[in-house]
Amino acid sequence: MSTNDNSSSMDKSTFHAAMHPWFAMGHLTPFLHLSNKLAEKGNKVSFFSPRKTITKLQPSNLYPNLITFYPLDVPHVDGLPHGAETMSDVHISISHLLIAAYYLLKDHVQSLLTDLKPNVVFYDFAEWIPSFTTPLGIKSIHHTVVSAASTAYLLVPSRQLDSASIARLSPNGEDKTNTEIKLMGPPPGFPLNSPVMLHRHEVKTITSFATRKNEVTGLSFYEQVTNSLKACDYISIRTCREIEGPYCDYIETQYGKPVLLTGPALPEKLTKPLEEKWANWLGMFSPGSVLYCAFGSEWVLRKDQFQELLLGFELTEMPFFVALKPPVGCTTVEEALPDGFEERVRQRGVVHGGWVQQPQILAHPSVGCFVTHCGFGSMWEALMSHCQIVLMPHLGDQFMNTRILAGDLKVALEVERREEDGWFTKETFSRLVKGVMDETNPIGIEIRENHNKLRETLSNTALENSYTDNYISKIHDLVK
């Protein structure tokens, strides 16, 4: 792979972009999707990725003549599993160790950027990028792959979650109660009448995540992201105005710089069929009758939560396909099943602990409902499906994504939880799912109609092309 300066050889109507995403598939994959959009218009992309992960990304590289992968060897950090490269390889409780390894690659990434001399660098977690690239004349774009609502609610200057502000809020070192109360409401100037808010059990996880200092950087996650958004040239968000317009405008006002929108984050077109085993099983049921459930690759339920959820599916008396990791303390899903569960649901239920082809499952005609954690990638897959959508968020941006779909857009329903600890019951879960699947239920009808209208709008090719053309035009304005 050549690392020569190519700026003189490239057509002035195109540019050279470097991509340095966080080491999680939920970040690497959207960055590659953006790379494909840039390459489609003739632009060159240098993509930095953990070495072994490149093989997973290569099939989605639609322009190998323009998109080149540069491997990064993730260094070992004490406590990090040997060979771990991405968040898929570690439990979320030790994510800070992967962050430490990510930052140890700083010198190598700087060396690559010095040799490659791209016109612009896209990044997310590497907040040091602007201070390094600006003196070199390289532009920087902080590209956000989570919802604009999440950034607008949590990661803006007016939120004042930096260490100094928190110290003023709790001058005597009290617990984080004051910060948690503050986070339950929106920051000053937030879009009026927005349904985006947090419950008590939700702010507990977010407060710790946003305010805990990282040992390597000395910064909290809030400080890391807000510093980056202040220092970059442009802010880019993987979203569209049809979903999150007011939140994008709020971010632009807070940071005083252009916010570029990629447009609808549509899933890639399916190129592989669904695995025959699952296609045959789903094919046994009538159209739109099967409930499908998945909560992403990072979150692991407690055993009591896992069992209560499965009992909720059983109570629906509908066929279901649940794809979840084994709960905490278990090595397989089979050992965590409720007593007698497997025998009772044998003919109509599957609980699978491994990876599945989610887009293909959602596209199967038998699947009629998607129970999801509402991670940003799954959110878009849900919106572009023909399934009814039921939401059970667990952490971070999933809470805000859920409020957008259930509150702003009214295309989904959220499972009711206990305020203090987030517990749900099998009965409340079952009632909600049965209601949304009932074709005579007024709420289910409204949700389905709203979803159908929005899907039609988002799948408009002209809309997507308009966003892409405008996005690339703005980058040309930045780098010229």
Side-chain angles (χ1 to χ4, degrees):
M1 290 177 294
S2 172
T3 57
N4 295 328
D5 177 10
N6 68 81
S7 57
S8 60
S9 63
M10 290 196 70
D11 191 305
K12 290 184 178 180
S13 64
T14 61
F15 54 80
H16 176 193
M19 300 277 173
H20 184 40
W22 165 235
F23 294 164
M25 294 308 294
H27 291 244
L28 290 156
T29 302
F31 266 73
L32 184 54
H33 289 172
L34 176 59
S35 299
N36 282 329
K37 285 192 173 187
L38 301 183
E40 183 182 12
K41 303 298 182 180
N43 301 295
K44 181 179 178 179
V45 178
S46 297
F47 197 103
F48 305 160
S49 166
R51 184 178 295 275
K52 290 183 295 184
T53 305
I54 290 175
T55 57
K56 298 177 183 178
L57 297 172
Q58 279 175 332
S60 297
N61 179 0
L62 305 182
Y63 301 91
N65 59 317
L66 288 170
I67 301 173
T68 302
F69 290 109
Y70 286 81
L72 301 176
D73 293 310
V74 180
H76 179 69
V77 173
D78 286 345
L80 195 66
H82 284 279
E85 285 195 333
T86 71
M87 284 298 296
S88 299
D89 304 322
V90 303
H91 189 272
I92 194 168
S93 63
I94 58 169
S95 60
H96 61 286
L97 299 178
L98 187 62
I99 292 173
Y102 181 77
Y103 275 89
L104 289 174
L105 288 165
K106 178 178 176 180
D107 289 345
H108 181 44
V109 172
Q110 288 182 344
S111 177
L112 281 173
L113 292 174
T114 300
D115 290 344
L116 289 166
K117 295 182 175 63
N119 303 109
V120 60
V121 181
F122 292 78
Y123 69 99
D124 47 8
F125 276 21
E127 90 290 335
W128 54 265
I129 290 280
S131 63
F132 176 75
T133 56
T134 300
L136 298 178
I138 300 172
K139 301 299 183 181
S140 60
I141 296 180
H142 182 119
H143 181 54
T144 299
V145 300
V146 299
S147 63
S150 299
T151 300
Y153 191 92
L154 293 171
L155 301 172
V156 290
S158 65
R159 179 53 87 180
Q160 296 185 331
L161 283 181
D162 56 282
S163 299
S165 296
I166 290 175
R168 288 194 299 271
L169 191 65
S170 302
N172 299 317
E174 302 101 323
D175 62 24
K176 295 181 177 179
T177 301
N178 288 334
T179 302
E180 291 175 358
I181 292 172
K182 183 179 177 182
L183 278 174
M184 290 176 71
F190 197 71
L192 294 174
N193 302 317
S194 168
V196 176
M197 47 77 69
L198 292 173
H199 296 291
R200 189 175 305 154
H201 65 90
E202 296 169 342
V203 300
K204 290 178 181 178
T205 59
I206 286 183
T207 301
S208 176
F209 176 74
T211 61
R212 185 178 67 181
K213 284 188 179 295
N214 180 274
E215 295 175 1
V216 177
T217 65
L219 300 172
S220 67
F221 180 74
Y222 171 84
E223 292 167 330
Q224 180 183 333
V225 175
T226 53
N227 289 351
S228 174
L229 291 170
K230 291 173 184 175
C232 66
D233 292 297
Y234 280 4
I235 297 169
S236 167
I237 308 178
R238 182 187 176 221
T239 192
C240 61
R241 299 196 65 83
E242 289 73 14
I243 299 288
E244 300 192 279
Y247 307 111
C248 299
D249 293 339
Y250 180 67
I251 294 169
E252 194 165 75
T253 299
Q254 283 282 303
Y255 286 100
K257 63 185 61 178
V259 171
L260 310 185
L261 307 183
T262 64
L266 305 182
E268 295 283 306
K269 291 183 179 179
L270 301 181
T271 56
K272 295 182 179 180
L274 178 60
E275 187 179 347
E276 186 177 2
K277 175 176 66 171
W278 300 132
N280 290 340
W281 187 84
L282 289 170
M284 296 190 302
F285 303 101
S286 58
S289 65
V290 178
L291 314 174
Y292 168 66
C293 173
F295 291 158
S297 61
E298 294 182 14
W299 187 253
V300 179
L301 296 174
R302 299 193 315 266
K303 187 175 180 180
D304 59 343
Q305 295 172 320
F306 182 83
Q307 293 188 337
E308 191 75 8
L309 179 64
L310 294 187
L311 292 173
F313 275 105
E314 181 183 356
L315 279 178
T316 66
E317 300 180 341
M318 299 176 185
F320 59 86
F321 187 131
V322 174
L324 295 177
K325 285 189 169 185
V328 176
C330 299
T331 56
T332 67
V333 293
E334 287 76 17
E335 69 183 88
L337 298 177
D339 291 340
F341 177 82
E342 192 170 8
E343 291 298 323
R344 295 194 302 271
V345 304
R346 184 178 296 278
Q347 300 302 319
R348 64 178 177 91
V350 165
V351 182
H352 182 65
W355 179 83
V356 295
Q357 299 163 286
Q358 180 161 291
Q360 284 86 344
I361 290 174
L362 290 174
H364 194 283
S366 293
V367 177
C369 180
F370 183 19
V371 181
T372 172
H373 63 311
C374 210
F376 206 44
S378 292
M379 182 189 96
W380 283 99
E381 289 178 344
L383 287 175
M384 299 314 297
S385 77
H386 288 76
C387 300
Q388 294 285 67
I389 306 170
V390 172
L391 307 173
M392 294 188 70
H394 298 291
L395 74 164
D397 65 309
Q398 299 165 16
F399 302 128
M400 273 62 77
N401 302 342
T402 291
R403 308 291 128 75
I404 292 170
L405 264 61
D408 273 334
L409 303 173
K410 293 181 173 56
V411 297
L413 290 180
E414 180 179 0
V415 174
E416 184 181 348
R417 308 271 191 99
R418 199 158 58 196
E419 182 67 28
E420 59 270 23
D421 60 5
W423 179 255
F424 63 92
T425 68
K426 56 184 178 292
E427 291 84 6
T428 56
F429 174 82
S430 173
R431 278 197 300 270
L432 184 140
V433 171
K434 290 170 75 173
V436 80
M437 291 293 283
D438 183 352
E439 294 184 356
T440 65
N441 184 298
I443 296 176
I445 292 171
E446 180 188 14
I447 294 297
R448 190 183 302 277
E449 290 178 349
N450 291 341
H451 183 188
N452 289 341
K453 290 176 184 176
L454 182 60
R455 184 180 60 252
E456 184 177 350
T457 297
L458 296 176
S459 58
N460 187 312
T461 303
L463 178 71
E464 184 180 13
N465 291 341
S466 174
Y467 270 104
T468 300
D469 291 344
N470 184 63
Y471 187 91
I472 292 178
S473 175
K474 292 290 178 61
I475 298 175
H476 276 298
D477 292 343
L478 174 66
V479 303
K480 68 181 180 182

